[in-house]
Amino acid sequence: MFVDLTFFEVDEGMQHVFEQAFRVIVQQAREAEGCLSSELVRLDEECRYVWVERWTTREAHNSFNQRLFGDILPRLPDLERVARRLAERDAEGYVVY
């Protein structure tokens, strides 16, 4: 099982806008072939979130990412306006137990 973690920082007061827009991404991922789970988690850190994805394989995840960046994100301009991806905190790996 492949796991991907993507971290975001959201502008103060814009959490609701971010959560509503990101709901579309979470749902699209859940419906994608090979997705085991997709969840947006609000962290205890102020204005920070992590998107936790679990996939059957890395290839299934990569296939979804092509759709995410090519089709889904361009239709959600509010995300770029209110949030930034914290690339230095992103992580990926494989479940060992």
Side-chain angles (χ1 to χ4, degrees):
M1 176 183 351
F2 179 77
V3 178
D4 187 61
L5 305 172
T6 307
F7 292 84
F8 298 93
E9 182 174 51
V10 178
D11 294 339
E12 181 68 39
M14 300 304 289
Q15 294 91 334
H16 181 71
V17 171
F18 176 75
E19 290 174 14
Q20 289 299 327
F22 213 89
R23 181 180 304 205
V24 172
I25 295 171
V26 168
Q27 188 59 41
Q28 292 290 317
R30 287 177 179 168
E31 295 171 2
E33 185 174 335
C35 182
L36 300 171
S37 67
S38 173
E39 301 166 320
L40 181 65
V41 178
R42 186 183 314 130
L43 300 176
D44 287 339
E45 301 170 40
E46 193 166 329
C47 299
R48 298 249 171 127
Y49 292 79
V50 62
W51 180 24
V52 181
E53 304 169 80
R54 292 177 186 89
W55 295 86
T56 54
T57 64
R58 182 183 201 117
E59 291 75 24
H61 176 255
N62 289 342
S63 178
F64 174 73
N65 273 349
Q66 289 179 350
R67 212 170 113 232
L68 174 66
F69 290 105
D71 181 46
I72 300 169
L73 284 174
R75 293 184 288 130
L76 299 170
D78 283 345
L79 284 178
E80 282 188 15
R81 187 173 55 84
V82 302
R84 284 150 310 289
R85 185 173 147 244
L86 302 174
E88 72 278 0
R89 287 194 61 186
D90 285 356
E92 55 184 42
Y94 295 90
V95 174
V96 294
Y97 291 106

